[in-house]
Amino acid sequence: MAKKKRLVVMVSSTVYGIEELLERIYAILTKFGYEVWMSHKGTVPVISTKSAFDNCLHAVEQCDLFLSLITTHYGSGKEDASALSITHQELLWAIDLNKPRWVLAHDQVVFARTLLTNLGYDDAKKRADLKLKRNPVVDDLRVIDMYEAAIRHDVQFADRKGNWVQKFVSPDDAQLYATAQFYRYQEVERFLEEHLNDPDVVGQRVAQEKKP
């Protein structure tokens, strides 16, 4: 009998400052039996005729599961200062495709959003008027835009689905979440086999699974 294809998890993130965490997550997911696409490890499929940006978005389309890490660093790939980073666009594309997804956001991103909201900068347009001085904490306020996209801030509260975002402070926090969410390899596999042809069911089931 032909060997069953492994589920593919795409890990979307910047690399700077979280190399150790990415190594841990890669080790965990491969141990559980997943095929892991991660730019840090060089495992994202590359088509030579496509740009780096197009290869990343193609990977989002082709993966089975999507894991996003929102950190205090916004990431590269911007054509100009106003363009979205590749990591940001990967997340938006995964949301548009309604990919089964899991999102981790650093505590400092969540704190920065709360602080700026209390100061009256409660949406992306208002935050865009702020100019950050060089600092080692948050290098671009659009990491908050990513967080708001992940929690489906643009959708009415009653209609929000797939909006669970797990806050993490340390690599241990993030590792625990990844372990808890992905260890049930066979269960996730059966879920996809049963429901992959019905995106609405996928979104509803994933949202239900993420509730505490």
Side-chain angles (χ1 to χ4, degrees):
M1 293 179 63
K3 187 176 180 180
K4 186 178 292 186
K5 178 181 176 292
R6 292 184 295 165
L7 289 175
V8 175
V9 180
M10 180 173 178
V11 180
S12 173
S13 72
T14 59
V15 175
Y16 180 76
I18 61 166
E19 293 88 347
E20 177 190 351
L21 172 56
L22 292 175
E23 291 286 345
R24 290 192 196 183
I25 288 178
Y26 183 84
I28 290 167
L29 295 180
T30 53
K31 181 180 179 180
F32 290 162
Y34 296 99
E35 179 178 347
V36 182
W37 291 353
M38 179 187 288
S39 59
H40 171 60
K41 299 294 288 185
T43 54
V44 174
V46 173
I47 301 172
S48 61
T49 56
K50 293 180 178 289
S51 66
F53 170 73
D54 288 335
N55 273 308
C56 290
L57 293 192
H58 182 70
V60 176
E61 295 171 2
Q62 297 302 310
C63 71
D64 298 306
L65 308 170
F66 184 84
L67 174 60
S68 173
L69 280 72
I70 301 173
T71 72
T72 57
H73 299 285
Y74 185 58
S76 60
K78 304 184 292 294
E79 295 181 358
D80 55 64
S82 63
L84 302 182
S85 70
I86 291 178
T87 305
H88 193 167
Q89 295 193 57
E90 287 172 351
L91 174 61
L92 295 179
W93 191 222
I95 293 171
D96 285 345
L97 294 173
N98 199 26
K99 284 286 178 178
R101 59 189 179 274
W102 291 260
V103 182
L104 281 154
H106 196 279
D107 175 70
Q108 291 177 342
V109 174
V110 181
F111 173 78
R113 176 178 181 261
T114 301
L115 176 63
L116 291 176
T117 297
N118 289 337
L119 292 173
Y121 298 96
D122 55 357
D123 60 38
K125 184 176 180 180
K126 293 176 182 177
R127 290 192 295 268
D129 294 332
L130 296 173
K131 303 300 180 184
L132 286 178
K133 294 182 178 180
R134 186 179 180 86
N135 72 85
V137 182
V138 174
D139 64 7
D140 192 311
L141 291 178
R142 283 175 293 181
V143 295
I144 301 175
D145 299 351
M146 293 178 65
Y147 175 78
E148 290 187 339
I151 63 173
R152 310 308 308 277
H153 184 66
D154 59 327
V155 178
Q156 290 292 327
F157 183 80
D159 298 325
R160 291 179 190 175
K161 298 176 181 178
N163 60 322
W164 183 286
V165 177
Q166 182 68 30
K167 183 174 67 174
F168 75 98
V169 176
S170 68
D172 288 342
D173 296 336
Q175 181 179 342
L176 176 61
Y177 178 76
T179 301
Q181 296 301 316
F182 288 96
Y183 86 96
R184 298 189 304 270
Y185 175 79
Q186 296 297 331
E187 183 177 326
V188 175
E189 187 174 35
R190 287 195 300 270
F191 158 55
L192 285 178
E193 288 176 348
E194 293 171 1
H195 301 296
L196 192 58
N197 292 327
D198 189 340
D200 290 334
V201 172
V202 171
Q204 293 170 11
R205 179 67 181 273
V206 170
Q208 291 172 359
E209 289 291 320
K210 292 180 183 180
K211 290 180 179 179

